[in-house]
Amino acid sequence: MSLKQHFDLLASYNQWMNSKVYEAAGQLSATSLAEDRGAFFGSILGTLNHIVVGDTIWLKRFATHPSCLTSLREVADLPDPASLKQIMFADFSSLYKHRNWLDGKIINWIGELSEGDMDYVLNYHNTQGVSASKCYSNLLLHFFHHHTHHRGQVSTLLSQAGVDIGVTDLLVLIPEASQV
């Protein structure tokens, strides 16, 4: 499997898991979603918003790649988040709708990348203004791991609230390999 194919798989996994997490979270009341549960981003709603904030920040950076000027144009036009803890959507339904939109953008963007795009060096500034130059493929890996990390937190918060999201293993989406 090529590096590009691995990122295609991670984009599909990201979309699948977000769907599962949001369907599970949708079983809770608005009060339960916003309840401070002692997590780093406070609540389930706060943590889900943080993932959207992170996506927005990173996708706007990724949009500067010459191959991504079209696929991420709409995301690049979004307002910059004010902080990593910003509640971009206090209403769960609006957050879910935006999450679905972002996941579609991510699938299309990754689908349009070529193997050659992976070696591009992305120059950007972090949220504190510190400049960095890193290999695009390594940043993509970070992007998808960020999702997994925080969805794991949400999964724990949901479990503590009595909601089971079911199987979360990437293994479910890995295709069977043929024997040679």
Side-chain angles (χ1 to χ4, degrees), residues 64-103:
T64 65
H65 186 299
S67 293
C68 303
L69 298 176
T70 302
S71 61
L72 292 176
R73 181 179 41 233
E74 290 177 273
V75 178
D77 291 340
L78 293 173
D80 291 333
S83 79
L84 295 175
K85 291 188 174 188
Q86 180 178 345
I87 300 297
M88 295 181 77
F89 298 93
D91 170 61
F92 180 74
S93 177
S94 298
L95 179 62
Y96 195 176
K97 182 178 177 182
H98 188 73
R99 174 76 267 161
N100 283 329
W101 180 80
L102 275 177
D103 287 344

Side-chain angles (χ1 to χ4, degrees), residues 53-70:
V53 165
D55 281 3
T56 303
I57 291 168
W58 276 108
L59 291 170
K60 287 170 77 71
R61 290 173 185 159
F62 292 141
T64 65
H65 186 299
S67 293
C68 303
L69 298 176
T70 302

